[in-house]
């Protein structure tokens, strides 16, 4: 049997970002064995990994990170030496409706993984400068709260100030991860990233939801006045940053990842409308009337903007793609993959979406 140099547990690999990370690691590192543990919630979809599912360095395990015994079994069975932890409940609107699910998965699930790692990795000291073990926790910029329209940016030393149940659960998980280093010496690293866009994102999030709605002439529900600002990064650039930090990041450090690419929601929506209409051969302006201002999201964060200078200066990472190019690729992907969209929007999600509308 082939000996692998590392056995890396990637959690949440069937989701949006996780599937891009899994694909990157399988293709770029044949010397590593990648174990994808995902419970396949509404947001997890094995179709996201169709092209790599038969790779010889890849194993999929349907597993819930909230099941501690199962996590321990996975660590032992596959001789796990590193973790890249992405599994989470990730949608802010859902967290407002059901905060318990977010505390359960994002806090308790992370704690289970930390504890399984702690019990399995008896000696995590570095040998010749190289750590044999690494617990990499993938987090979000939302833990920092929000910013005013004053040009300030989130840095790694910005104080935590989460506002939604989602961001509060992610902040809590970040604290647990650091505590496991400080208390038990577990080798950890954390990154906090801004809004991702790209292929395979579940269409409850702004960009894929709106592309799909424009195509089907459905209303585009803009929360509040559409003035909120997000900092958008191409998902493949996030996956590349995770790769760099996993290999070169310093233990116990935090790295912010962002695109220096701020957009108000309404300006972004106008770009999406224009791009979809053009690619569908419709006259410019055809879908402008789909914009529908609806009640604002409760506790809606005003502005996110990440300063990723540390990652650039220390590890040499910077975004590879201009936003205009990335959005074109992304819109094309959704228009060409209607089957994928139909598949993930059938059943439970459609019912949830209909209920959301009823409440607004
Ligand atoms: P996603 O919702 O698309 O995917 C989450 C994945 O986790 C799914 O495959 C789901 O099945 C799996 N999962 C959920 N609960 C699980 C459980 N209990 N056990 C095992 N698997 C479970 O999320 P995403 O947008 O890809 O985000 C991935 C990670 O990156 C999350 O931790 C999120 O907080 C973080 N993040 C996301 C963004 C973004 O813009 N999407 C930005 C910064 C950070
Ligand atoms: O900043 C990183 C975070 O980005 C991640 O941690 C989260 O997992 C991810 O979901 C994302 O959170 P947001 O709340 O910023 O993303 P969302 O796509 O839900 O919304 C983007 C903006 O668009 C936000 O200001 C709310 C607004 N919006 C969203 C939806 C779904 C609308 O106006 N209408 C909508 O229907």
């Amino acid at each position: 049997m082939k000996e692998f140099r590392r056995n890396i547990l990637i959690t949440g690999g069937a989701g949006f970002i996780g599937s891009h990370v899994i694909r990157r690691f399988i293709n770029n590192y044949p010397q590593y064995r990648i174990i994808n543990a995902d419970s396949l919630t509404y947001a997890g979809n094995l179709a996201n990994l169709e092209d790599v599912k038969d790779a010889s360095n890849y194993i999929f395990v349907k597993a819930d990170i909230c099941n501690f015994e199962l996590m321990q079994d996975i660590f032992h069975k596959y001789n796990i030496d590193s973790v890249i932890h992405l599994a989470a409940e990730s949608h802010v609107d859902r967290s407002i409706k059901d905060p318990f699910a977010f505390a359960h998965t994002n806090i308790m699930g992370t704690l289970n993984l930390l504890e399984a790692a702690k019990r399995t990795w008896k000696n995590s000291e570095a040998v010749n400068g190289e750590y044999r073990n690494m617990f990499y926790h993938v987090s979000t910029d939302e833990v920092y709260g929000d910013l005013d329209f004053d040009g300030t940016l989130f840095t790694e030393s910005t104080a935590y100030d989460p506002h939604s149940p989602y961001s509060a659960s992610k902040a809590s998980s970040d604290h647990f991860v650091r505590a496991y280093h400080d208390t038990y010496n577990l080798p950890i690293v954390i990154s906090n990233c801004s809004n991702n866009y790209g292929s395979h994102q579940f269409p409850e999030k702004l960009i894929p939801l709106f592309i799909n709605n424009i195509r089907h002439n459905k209303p585009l529900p803009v929360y509040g006045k559409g003035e909120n600002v997000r900092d958008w990064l191409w998902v493949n650039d996030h996956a590349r940053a995770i790769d760099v930090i996993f290999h070169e990041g310093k233990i116990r450090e935090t790295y912010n990842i962002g695109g220096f690419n701020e957009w108000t929601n309404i300006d972004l929506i106008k770009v999406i409308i224009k791009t979809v209409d053009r690619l569908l051969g419709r006259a410019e302006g055809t879908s402008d009337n789909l914009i529908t201002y609806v009640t604002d999201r409760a506790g809606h964060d005003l502005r996110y903007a990440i300063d990723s200078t540390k990652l650039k200066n220390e590890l040499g990472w910077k975004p590879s793609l201009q936003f205009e190019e990335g959005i074109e690729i992304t819109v094309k992907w959704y228009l060409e993959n209607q089957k994928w969209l139909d598949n993930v929007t059938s059943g439970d999600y459609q019912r949830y979406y209909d209920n959301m509308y009823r409440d607004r």
Side-chain angles (χ1 to χ4, degrees):
M1 205 177 78
K2 182 174 172 184
E3 270 287 311
F4 289 97
R5 202 164 147 242
R6 299 194 89 132
N7 292 302
I8 306 174
L9 174 64
I10 300 187
T11 68
F16 166 47
I17 301 170
S19 61
H20 288 275
V21 174
I22 292 255
R23 183 175 298 102
R24 181 178 181 92
F25 272 70
I26 287 176
N27 291 333
N28 289 6
Y29 302 106
Q31 69 274 34
Y32 297 165
R33 184 166 65 159
I34 306 303
I35 297 93
N36 174 13
D38 194 303
S39 62
L40 301 181
T41 67
Y42 77 95
N45 192 338
L46 286 179
N48 294 354
L49 293 163
E50 190 57 30
D51 54 326
V52 289
K53 71 176 192 316
D54 297 324
S56 58
N57 62 337
Y58 173 63
I59 294 173
F60 171 72
V61 189
K62 186 171 187 304
D64 187 341
I65 58 166
C66 298
N67 182 335
F68 177 63
E69 274 72 35
L70 185 53
M71 288 305 113
Q72 273 202 308
D73 289 349
I74 289 173
F75 269 77
H76 290 137
K77 181 169 178 191
Y78 299 108
N79 198 17
I80 299 299
D81 54 63
S82 319
V83 175
I84 304 178
H85 175 36
L86 295 112
E89 289 293 339
S90 68
H91 190 43
V92 174
D93 292 327
R94 284 181 191 257
S95 83
I96 295 166
K97 285 193 168 261
D98 181 13
F100 284 104
F102 284 70
H104 191 57
T105 294
N106 299 357
I107 305 175
M108 289 308 296
T110 302
L111 184 54
N112 282 336
L113 288 164
L114 288 165
E115 185 60 24
K118 181 192 108 189
R119 291 190 195 183
T120 313
W121 302 341
K122 298 288 181 222
N123 182 4
S124 294
E125 294 301 321
V127 178
N128 297 330
E130 192 181 341
Y131 279 88
R132 193 168 151 57
N133 303 122
M134 171 68 93
F135 191 108
Y136 182 162
H137 179 58
V138 176
S139 193
T140 171
D141 60 358
E142 299 198 15
V143 299
Y144 299 124
D146 63 354
L147 299 162
D148 241 314
F149 296 122
D150 58 2
T152 49
L153 303 172
F154 296 134
T155 70
E156 286 81 0
S157 54
T158 301
Y160 276 32
D161 185 20
H163 298 146
S164 73
Y166 163 68
S167 51
S169 68
K170 290 295 290 188
S172 173
S173 66
D174 291 10
H175 291 317
F176 269 107
V177 173
R178 291 195 186 93
Y180 263 66
H181 172 271
D182 298 352
T183 310
Y184 308 112
N185 217 16
L186 198 76
I188 64 106
V189 69
I190 299 180
S191 59
N192 297 83
C193 189
S194 62
N195 286 61
N196 285 213
Y197 71 94
S199 69
H200 301 93
Q201 186 172 31
F202 193 83
E204 62 187 347
K205 308 280 169 64
L206 181 75
I207 291 183
L209 175 70
F210 278 32
I211 295 171
N212 205 25
N213 283 11
I214 297 165
R215 179 184 207 143
H216 295 102
N217 293 309
K218 286 174 146 183
L220 306 175
V222 181
Y223 299 165
K225 293 184 181 154
E227 288 169 344
N228 305 65
V229 170
R230 297 293 182 266
D231 173 3
W232 293 94
L233 179 71
W234 192 40
V235 65
N236 297 63
D237 279 332
H238 187 190
R240 187 166 48 82
I242 289 173
D243 182 346
V244 169
I245 294 166
F246 176 78
H247 286 100
E248 293 166 41
K250 291 201 187 78
I251 298 297
R252 222 282 185 188
E253 288 292 319
T254 297
Y255 297 91
N256 278 356
I257 312 171
F260 290 109
N261 180 40
E262 294 181 47
W263 288 80
T264 61
N265 290 339
I266 194 64
D267 285 347
L268 174 71
I269 290 161
K270 285 177 183 163
V271 170
I272 295 170
I273 292 176
K274 215 170 155 182
T275 312
V276 175
D277 276 348
R278 177 170 48 76
L279 290 172
L280 288 178
R282 297 175 181 169
E284 192 170 333
T286 305
S287 304
D288 290 353
N289 63 349
L290 296 177
I291 291 178
T292 310
Y293 291 94
V294 298
T295 314
D296 208 354
R297 173 185 275 175
H300 198 172
D301 283 333
L302 194 60
R303 172 173 166 260
Y304 303 147
I306 275 275
D307 182 352
S308 52
T309 307
K310 173 177 172 181
L311 185 56
K312 179 167 177 267
N313 288 351
E314 293 187 10
L315 305 185
W317 175 93
K318 60 178 178 2
S320 71
L321 209 61
Q322 289 295 313
F323 186 65
E324 289 67 23
E325 197 185 336
I327 208 73
E328 180 88 7
I329 294 171
T330 303
V331 171
K332 267 194 188 138
W333 189 87
Y334 288 101
L335 294 182
E336 285 167 5
N337 287 276
Q338 188 61 47
K339 228 173 163 182
W340 181 91
L341 280 163
D342 291 343
N343 178 16
V344 301
T345 51
S346 59
D348 281 355
Y349 170 67
Q350 202 52 53
R351 277 188 291 280
Y352 164 84
Y353 186 58
D354 291 345
N355 281 336
M356 287 269 298
Y357 257 124
R358 217 164 289 138
D359 292 355
R360 280 183 184 278

Coordinates of all heavy atoms in Angstrom, one line a residue, residues 68-106:
F68 N -18.4 13.1 18.7 CA -17.1 13.0 19.2 C -16.4 11.6 19.0 O -15.3 11.5 18.5 CB -17.0 13.4 20.7 CG -15.6 13.3 21.3 CD1 -14.6 14.1 20.8 CD2 -15.4 12.4 22.3 CE1 -13.3 14.0 21.3 CE2 -14.1 12.3 22.8 CZ -13.1 13.1 22.3
E69 N -17.2 10.5 19.3 CA -16.6 9.2 19.1 C -16.2 9.0 17.7 O -15.1 8.4 17.4 CB -17.6 8.1 19.6 CG -17.5 7.8 21.1 CD -18.2 8.9 21.9 OE1 -19.1 9.5 21.4 OE2 -17.6 9.2 23.0
L70 N -17.1 9.4 16.8 CA -16.8 9.2 15.4 C -15.6 10.0 15.0 O -14.7 9.5 14.2 CB -18.0 9.6 14.6 CG -18.0 9.4 13.1 CD1 -17.7 8.0 12.7 CD2 -19.4 9.8 12.4
M71 N -15.4 11.2 15.5 CA -14.2 12.0 15.1 C -13.0 11.3 15.6 O -12.0 11.2 14.9 CB -14.3 13.4 15.7 CG -15.3 14.3 15.1 SD -15.1 14.5 13.3 CE -16.5 13.6 12.6
Q72 N -13.0 10.8 16.9 CA -11.9 10.0 17.4 C -11.5 8.8 16.5 O -10.4 8.6 16.2 CB -12.2 9.6 18.8 CG -11.9 10.6 19.9 CD -11.7 9.9 21.2 OE1 -12.5 9.1 21.6 NE2 -10.6 10.2 21.9
D73 N -12.6 8.1 16.1 CA -12.4 6.9 15.2 C -11.7 7.3 13.9 O -10.8 6.6 13.5 CB -13.7 6.3 14.9 CG -14.3 5.6 16.1 OD1 -13.6 5.4 17.1 OD2 -15.5 5.2 16.0
I74 N -12.1 8.4 13.4 CA -11.5 8.9 12.1 C -10.0 9.2 12.3 O -9.2 8.8 11.5 CB -12.3 10.1 11.5 CG1 -13.7 9.6 11.0 CG2 -11.5 10.8 10.4 CD1 -14.6 10.7 10.6
F75 N -9.7 9.9 13.4 CA -8.3 10.2 13.7 C -7.5 9.0 13.8 O -6.4 8.9 13.2 CB -8.2 11.0 15.0 CG -8.3 12.5 14.8 CD1 -9.5 13.1 14.6 CD2 -7.1 13.3 14.9 CE1 -9.6 14.5 14.4 CE2 -7.2 14.7 14.7 CZ -8.4 15.3 14.5
H76 N -8.0 7.9 14.4 CA -7.2 6.7 14.6 C -7.2 5.9 13.3 O -6.1 5.5 12.9 CB -7.8 5.8 15.7 CG -7.6 6.5 17.1 ND1 -8.6 6.5 18.0 CD2 -6.5 7.1 17.6 CE1 -8.1 7.1 19.1 NE2 -6.8 7.5 18.9
K77 N -8.3 5.7 12.7 CA -8.4 4.8 11.5 C -7.5 5.4 10.4 O -6.9 4.6 9.7 CB -9.9 4.8 11.1 CG -10.1 3.9 9.9 CD -11.5 3.6 9.6 CE -11.7 2.8 8.3 NZ -13.0 2.7 7.9
Y78 N -7.5 6.7 10.2 CA -6.7 7.2 9.1 C -5.4 7.9 9.5 O -4.8 8.5 8.7 CB -7.6 8.2 8.3 CG -8.9 7.6 7.7 CD1 -10.1 7.9 8.3 CD2 -8.8 6.7 6.7 CE1 -11.3 7.3 7.8 CE2 -9.9 6.1 6.2 CZ -11.2 6.4 6.8 OH -12.3 5.7 6.3
N79 N -5.1 7.7 10.8 CA -3.8 8.2 11.2 C -3.6 9.7 10.9 O -2.6 10.2 10.4 CB -2.7 7.4 10.6 CG -1.4 7.5 11.3 OD1 -1.4 8.0 12.5 ND2 -0.3 7.2 10.7
I80 N -4.7 10.5 11.3 CA -4.7 11.9 10.9 C -3.6 12.7 11.6 O -3.4 12.6 12.8 CB -6.1 12.5 11.3 CG1 -7.2 11.8 10.6 CG2 -6.1 14.0 11.1 CD1 -7.2 11.9 9.1
D81 N -2.8 13.4 10.8 CA -1.8 14.2 11.5 C -2.0 15.7 11.3 O -1.4 16.5 11.9 CB -0.4 13.9 10.9 CG -0.4 14.0 9.4 OD1 -0.6 15.1 8.8 OD2 -0.1 12.9 8.7
S82 N -3.0 16.1 10.5 CA -3.3 17.5 10.3 C -4.8 17.7 10.0 O -5.4 16.8 9.5 CB -2.6 18.1 9.1 OG -1.3 17.7 9.0
V83 N -5.3 18.8 10.3 CA -6.7 19.1 10.1 C -6.8 20.5 9.4 O -6.1 21.4 9.8 CB -7.5 19.2 11.4 CG1 -9.0 19.6 11.2 CG2 -7.4 17.9 12.2
I84 N -7.7 20.6 8.4 CA -8.1 21.9 7.9 C -9.6 21.9 8.1 O -10.3 21.1 7.4 CB -7.7 22.0 6.4 CG1 -6.2 21.9 6.2 CG2 -8.2 23.4 5.9 CD1 -5.7 22.0 4.7
H85 N -10.0 22.7 9.0 CA -11.4 22.6 9.5 C -12.3 23.7 8.9 O -12.2 24.9 9.2 CB -11.4 22.8 11.0 CG -12.7 22.8 11.6 ND1 -13.8 22.1 11.2 CD2 -13.2 23.6 12.7 CE1 -14.9 22.4 11.9 NE2 -14.5 23.3 12.9
L86 N -13.2 23.3 8.0 CA -14.1 24.2 7.3 C -15.6 24.0 7.6 O -16.4 24.8 7.4 CB -13.9 24.2 5.8 CG -12.6 24.6 5.2 CD1 -11.9 23.4 4.6 CD2 -12.8 25.7 4.1
A87 N -15.9 22.8 8.1 CA -17.3 22.4 8.3 C -17.9 23.4 9.2 O -17.4 23.7 10.3 CB -17.4 21.0 8.9
A88 N -19.1 23.9 8.8 CA -19.8 24.9 9.7 C -21.2 25.1 9.1 O -21.5 24.8 7.9 CB -19.0 26.2 9.7
E89 N -22.1 25.6 9.9 CA -23.3 26.3 9.4 C -22.8 27.7 9.1 O -22.2 28.4 9.9 CB -24.3 26.4 10.5 CG -25.0 25.0 10.8 CD -25.8 24.5 9.7 OE1 -26.2 25.2 8.8 OE2 -26.0 23.2 9.7
S90 N -23.1 28.1 7.8 CA -22.4 29.3 7.3 C -23.3 30.5 6.9 O -22.8 31.5 6.5 CB -21.5 28.9 6.1 OG -22.3 28.6 5.0
H91 N -24.6 30.3 7.0 CA -25.5 31.4 6.4 C -26.1 32.2 7.5 O -26.8 31.7 8.4 CB -26.5 30.8 5.6 CG -27.3 31.8 4.8 ND1 -26.7 32.9 4.1 CD2 -28.6 32.0 4.5 CE1 -27.6 33.6 3.5 NE2 -28.8 33.1 3.7
V92 N -25.8 33.5 7.5 CA -26.2 34.5 8.6 C -27.7 34.4 8.8 O -28.2 34.4 9.9 CB -25.7 35.9 8.2 CG1 -26.3 36.9 9.2 CG2 -24.2 36.0 8.2
D93 N -28.5 34.5 7.7 CA -30.0 34.5 7.8 C -30.5 33.2 8.5 O -31.4 33.3 9.3 CB -30.6 34.6 6.4 CG -30.4 35.9 5.8 OD1 -30.3 36.9 6.5 OD2 -30.2 36.0 4.5
R94 N -29.9 32.1 8.2 CA -30.3 30.9 9.0 C -30.0 31.0 10.4 O -30.7 30.5 11.3 CB -29.6 29.6 8.4 CG -30.2 29.2 7.0 CD -29.5 28.0 6.5 NE -29.9 27.7 5.1 CZ -30.8 26.8 4.8 NH1 -31.3 26.0 5.6 NH2 -31.1 26.7 3.5
S95 N -28.8 31.6 10.7 CA -28.4 31.7 12.2 C -29.4 32.6 12.9 O -29.6 32.4 14.1 CB -27.0 32.3 12.3 OG -26.9 33.7 12.2
I96 N -30.1 33.5 12.2 CA -31.0 34.4 12.9 C -32.3 33.6 13.2 O -32.9 33.8 14.3 CB -31.4 35.6 12.0 CG1 -30.1 36.5 11.9 CG2 -32.5 36.4 12.6 CD1 -30.2 37.5 10.8
K97 N -32.6 32.6 12.4 CA -33.8 31.8 12.6 C -33.5 30.6 13.6 O -34.4 30.2 14.3 CB -34.2 31.2 11.3 CG -34.9 32.2 10.4 CD -35.6 31.5 9.2 CE -36.5 32.5 8.5 NZ -37.9 32.5 8.9
D98 N -32.3 30.1 13.5 CA -32.0 28.9 14.3 C -30.6 29.0 14.9 O -29.7 28.2 14.5 CB -32.2 27.6 13.5 CG -31.9 26.4 14.3 OD1 -31.9 26.4 15.5 OD2 -31.8 25.3 13.6
P99 N -30.4 29.8 15.9 CA -29.0 30.0 16.5 C -28.5 28.7 17.1 O -27.3 28.5 17.1 CB -29.2 31.0 17.6 CG -30.6 31.4 17.6 CD -31.4 30.7 16.6
F100 N -29.4 27.8 17.6 CA -28.9 26.6 18.3 C -28.0 25.7 17.3 O -27.0 25.2 17.7 CB -30.0 25.7 18.8 CG -30.6 26.3 20.1 CD1 -31.8 27.0 20.1 CD2 -30.0 26.2 21.3 CE1 -32.4 27.5 21.2 CE2 -30.5 26.7 22.5 CZ -31.7 27.4 22.4
A101 N -28.5 25.6 16.1 CA -27.8 24.8 15.1 C -26.4 25.3 14.9 O -25.4 24.6 14.7 CB -28.5 24.8 13.8
F102 N -26.2 26.7 15.0 CA -24.9 27.3 14.8 C -24.0 27.1 16.0 O -22.8 26.8 15.8 CB -25.1 28.8 14.5 CG -25.6 29.0 13.1 CD1 -26.9 28.6 12.7 CD2 -24.7 29.5 12.1 CE1 -27.3 28.7 11.4 CE2 -25.1 29.6 10.8 CZ -26.4 29.2 10.4
A103 N -24.6 27.2 17.2 CA -23.8 26.9 18.4 C -23.3 25.4 18.4 O -22.2 25.1 18.7 CB -24.5 27.2 19.7
H104 N -24.3 24.6 18.0 CA -24.0 23.1 18.0 C -22.8 22.8 17.1 O -21.8 22.3 17.5 CB -25.3 22.4 17.6 CG -25.3 21.0 17.8 ND1 -25.0 20.4 19.1 CD2 -25.5 19.9 17.0 CE1 -25.1 19.1 18.9 NE2 -25.3 18.8 17.7
T105 N -23.0 23.1 15.8 CA -22.0 22.7 14.8 C -20.7 23.5 15.0 O -19.6 23.0 15.0 CB -22.5 22.9 13.4 OG1 -23.6 21.9 13.2 CG2 -21.5 22.6 12.4
N106 N -20.9 24.8 15.0 CA -19.7 25.7 14.9 C -18.8 25.7 16.2 O -17.6 25.8 16.1 CB -20.1 27.1 14.5 CG -20.8 27.1 13.2 OD1 -20.9 26.1 12.5 ND2 -21.2 28.3 12.7

